[in-house]
Amino acid sequence: VYNPHFVKLQSDVDAQPLLVDDSSGPGNSVMSAVFEIVAPDHPCHGKTLGVLNTHVQAGTIEEPACTAPVIRALLGYADRIVADYRLVAGDLNGCAPAARNAASEAGYHSAYDAGQHLVMEAGGPVVTTHNDEYHFSGELDFLWLSSNTRTRGLIQIQSEERLTPTRLATHPQQSLPGPDWPSDHVSLVADFELL
């Protein structure tokens, strides 16, 4: 959903499997689109934003699925999008430190890194999911922005019993998903400036 008075879909939405080292595991996918900024009074009027949404299939529950080769493949897709600015978002099922370094070296930054200790309503490191089946807890979802953007604001991640950085083997009073939240992941929302 987007505001047609602010942006216009410039290209057809493209969906395809995510190929890493010329192969694609089940559940790995990318979807991309390009939007033109059409608001006449916007300083970036006529510029384009390429958006890549992805899902990276989880590997083992002990290791992040987004490794350095995976993030390089994702950013390779993003860099092939002809646009002035780029956003890569989705469920990466965790990012290994080497993947985060590779993204930084490629000129991308995580929007939620800008919020530091204020990101979580309950404080502590970023936690975007807790899976009760595997008792996994951590930052699985990301918003990666190209270097010519700056994060201006974030929606703070709500305080939930299960959104803790420590894996818990106990069962909560209320879990995610639940009656008040339809997913085991939280929504990430960022306000960013195009430079």
Side-chain angles (χ1 to χ4, degrees):
V1 177
Y2 59 91
N3 182 340
H5 300 291
F6 186 77
V7 294
K8 175 179 84 174
L9 184 62
Q10 189 184 51
S11 68
D12 290 334
V13 175
D14 179 44
Q16 55 190 298
L18 169 63
L19 298 176
V20 180
D21 300 327
D22 296 324
S23 65
S24 176
N28 292 339
S29 62
V30 293
M31 186 169 57
S32 61
V34 176
F35 296 89
E36 179 184 357
I37 299 166
V38 295
D41 59 340
H42 194 280
C44 293
H45 176 82
K47 299 281 187 172
T48 53
L49 172 65
V51 178
L52 184 101
N53 187 270
T54 187
H55 178 266
V56 176
Q57 181 65 33
T60 66
I61 62 170
E62 288 82 25
E63 298 296 325
C66 188
T67 61
V70 171
I71 197 75
R72 285 188 193 103
L74 279 171
L75 298 179
Y77 279 88
D79 289 342
R80 288 192 294 275
I81 298 172
V82 178
D84 298 300
Y85 308 95
R86 292 179 184 83
L87 164 67
V88 177
D91 177 358
L92 303 183
N93 273 301
C95 263
R100 292 179 77 95
N101 290 340
S104 178
E105 289 167 6
Y108 287 81
H109 59 278
S110 169
Y112 270 70
D113 285 350
Q116 300 176 358
H117 68 283
L118 300 175
V119 169
M120 301 295 294
E121 183 181 2
V126 177
V127 179
T128 64
T129 189
H130 180 98
N131 184 301
D132 282 327
E133 182 176 348
Y134 299 108
H135 299 289
F136 180 81
S137 183
E139 184 179 15
L140 300 189
D141 308 281
F142 290 85
L143 297 173
W144 292 101
L145 300 166
S146 57
S147 60
N148 57 349
T149 65
R150 178 176 43 226
T151 304
R152 302 282 300 202
L154 301 165
I155 295 293
Q156 190 177 52
I157 297 173
Q158 72 267 25
S159 182
E160 295 280 347
E161 181 182 358
R162 276 306 209 211
L163 293 178
T164 64
T166 306
R167 293 180 188 179
L168 303 172
T170 59
H171 290 283
Q173 295 295 315
Q174 186 171 353
S175 191
L176 300 175
D180 299 324
W181 197 262
S183 175
D184 62 332
H185 295 256
V186 298
S187 298
L188 301 182
V189 179
D191 182 14
F192 56 95
E193 180 180 8
L194 307 174
L195 304 175

